[in-house]
Amino acid sequence: MGRSACCAKEGLNRGAWTAHEDKVLSEYIKLHGEGRWRNLPKKAGLKRCGKSCRLRWLNYLRPDIKRGNISPDEEELIIRLHKLLGNRWSLIAGRLPGRTDNEIKNYWNTNLGKKIQDPQQQGSASNLKHHNKNGEPVSKKAKTMEDMSPNMTSPSPSKVSPVVRTKAAKCTKVFISPHPHKPLLGHQHCEENNRGGLMFDRPAGDEHTNNGSSSLSPFSNIADQENSSSDFLVDFDMNEISLASLLNSDFPAINCDNADQNGDNIFSEEMLQHLNDGGHDCVQVQPNLVLNFHSLTSFLDGDQGGEEWLRE
DNA sequence: AAGAAGAACAACCGCAAGGTA
DNA sequence: GTACCTTGCGGTTGTTCTTCT
């Protein structure tokens, strides 16, 4: 992958990470924390360069990573943030809980960049990934995980390999890192995936969110909800005190109006109850304080709002 | 069913900024 | 002041996957 060797050290592994390597890295970081990347591989017993370990952790192994489709709301936010910030992916990613700069960059390059360049194709970028010969949009990803990702569930013999395919499952299943203190709620069938994490089927009745722009509900399951909501709030807290006014003004309205297109709220009562019952150590999530991308993007569109907020 | 083309994305690289001795 | 180290960022590329013919 990529170019020629960077660390150029003989004997170092390159390319795709194996499940074993992921496990070793995760466990090492759990024990010792992040940082000291240069020495980490040696100490952890990995034949990788520190940079590679860092990237792997930040982009895929971190417990708060949200995998899966970029929702239309997120997409809109990305577009607006990009308008303000340009290619400052890390800043943009900082405003999208659970998303990484790499993921957003990739998404931009493969979807939004084209969309912006070709305004005629306005509409949800989720719908213009492919076009058939009639010019009709065909969503490559509007399939269930079972259909689309055999190597996540039942790898074909020829593909059996220890190498981890971490393709963001666009997804009826969501990767969740094991969190000892977080109960695995639900009714989900769960199975260990090839990264040592857990894959969950969506709860029955949630299939409607899997329509290619699926994650209209930005949160695919409890763990996702926890991570996403808390990250978002934490992000606010950390970055701008003035965001309190933002939250007070615009966000509280959203639990109702950010119901998904089927009229369902993003959070079920059960979910909110779980959050308030200590799903989080620090963050108490109020029922009406739910992420509203529409509100945020409106804010960013405002005369003074966005730009100042984004400046660190 | 097979091959081609294009899309998606994981991973790499080089560089710059910040921290420390 | 500066040299070195570490970390983070944005751009780029190779591989895999999906869809079309």
Side-chain angles (χ1 to χ4, degrees):
Chain A
M1 300 252 171
R3 307 176 198 173
S4 54
C6 75
C7 305
K9 290 188 178 167
E10 293 295 328
L12 291 186
N13 289 345
R14 297 170 46 77
W17 280 65
T18 65
H20 178 253
E21 287 176 314
D22 280 349
K23 192 178 171 203
V24 169
L25 179 58
S26 295
E27 287 179 357
Y28 182 88
I29 291 175
K30 259 183 224 163
L31 282 174
H32 301 94
E34 297 181 40
R36 297 274 147 201
W37 297 108
R38 198 181 180 95
N39 296 328
L40 186 151
K42 203 186 295 179
K43 291 182 178 174
L46 286 166
K47 291 182 174 180
R48 294 274 179 177
C49 76
K51 257 184 164 181
S52 183
C53 293
R54 175 183 164 271
L55 199 68
R56 185 66 182 173
W57 173 255
L58 292 178
N59 285 337
Y60 300 98
L61 300 177
R62 247 169 39 191
D64 55 343
I65 292 292
K66 180 163 70 173
R67 314 288 307 159
N69 287 356
I70 302 277
S71 72
D73 293 331
E74 288 175 305
E75 178 189 304
E76 193 180 346
L77 184 53
I78 292 169
I79 292 170
R80 289 166 199 269
L81 288 168
H82 186 270
K83 206 154 62 174
L84 286 170
L85 297 167
N87 293 359
R88 295 163 74 183
W89 306 115
S90 60
L91 277 180
I92 295 174
R95 266 67 196 179
L96 285 152
R99 301 295 185 187
T100 67
D101 55 353
N102 205 34
E103 185 178 12
I104 291 171
K105 181 171 58 180
N106 280 333
Y107 188 72
W108 180 271
N109 288 337
T110 55
N111 294 295
L112 300 182
K114 295 171 195 170
K115 181 184 176 184
I116 299 305
Q117 276 182 357
D118 186 2
Q120 288 181 329
Q121 295 193 15
Q122 281 294 352
S124 170
S126 310
N127 294 329
L128 42 76
K129 294 182 177 170
H130 289 81
H131 294 77
N132 64 18
K133 62 182 176 184
N134 298 322
E136 295 161 341
V138 174
S139 174
K140 263 175 96 170
K141 298 288 183 176
K143 302 178 77 177
T144 64
M145 187 77 147
E146 290 82 351
D147 292 335
M148 60 146 297
S149 187
N151 50 4
M152 297 281 282
T153 52
S154 56
S156 67
S158 63
K159 302 263 179 178
V160 171
S161 144
V163 170
V164 176
R165 295 297 306 165
T166 45
K167 279 214 179 286
K170 314 261 176 178
C171 25
T172 58
K173 296 181 179 178
V174 179
F175 173 74
I176 303 169
S177 291
H179 271 238
H181 63 289
K182 291 180 181 172
L184 297 175
L185 284 194
H187 21 311
Q188 298 95 336
H189 160 68
C190 96
E191 65 188 68
E192 191 161 10
N193 74 357
N194 59 358
R195 285 166 45 189
L198 294 170
M199 301 294 297
F200 288 86
D201 289 336
R202 283 181 188 280
D206 199 20
E207 290 81 0
H208 62 270
T209 63
N210 183 34
N211 58 2
S213 53
S214 75
S215 343
L216 180 65
S217 142
F219 314 117
S220 305
N221 61 25
I222 299 292
D224 243 2
Q225 290 155 12
E226 288 180 290
N227 288 329
S228 301
S229 56
S230 68
D231 286 352
F232 198 69
L233 294 172
V234 167
D235 191 44
F236 278 162
D237 194 40
M238 289 191 317
N239 289 295
E240 295 296 332
I241 293 169
S242 63
L243 283 167
S245 58
L246 172 66
L247 292 168
N248 285 334
S249 61
D250 219 353
F251 277 61
I254 58 190
N255 198 28
C256 298
D257 62 34
N258 203 34
D260 71 21
Q261 283 155 350
N262 294 310
D264 299 332
N265 283 337
I266 287 175
F267 283 167
S268 69
E269 285 183 22
E270 178 193 13
M271 295 165 180
L272 292 166
Q273 184 62 47
H274 170 67
L275 292 170
N276 281 330
D277 282 350
H280 276 314
D281 298 334
C282 314
V283 181
Q284 286 289 306
V285 179
Q286 296 175 9
N288 62 352
L289 234 164
V290 178
L291 171 61
N292 182 339
F293 286 109
H294 289 308
S295 298
L296 181 53
T297 50
S298 304
F299 172 73
L300 290 171
D301 272 348
D303 288 342
Q304 11 168 289
E307 197 129 13
E308 285 181 21
W309 170 54
L310 291 163
R311 305 228 178 279
E312 295 285 333

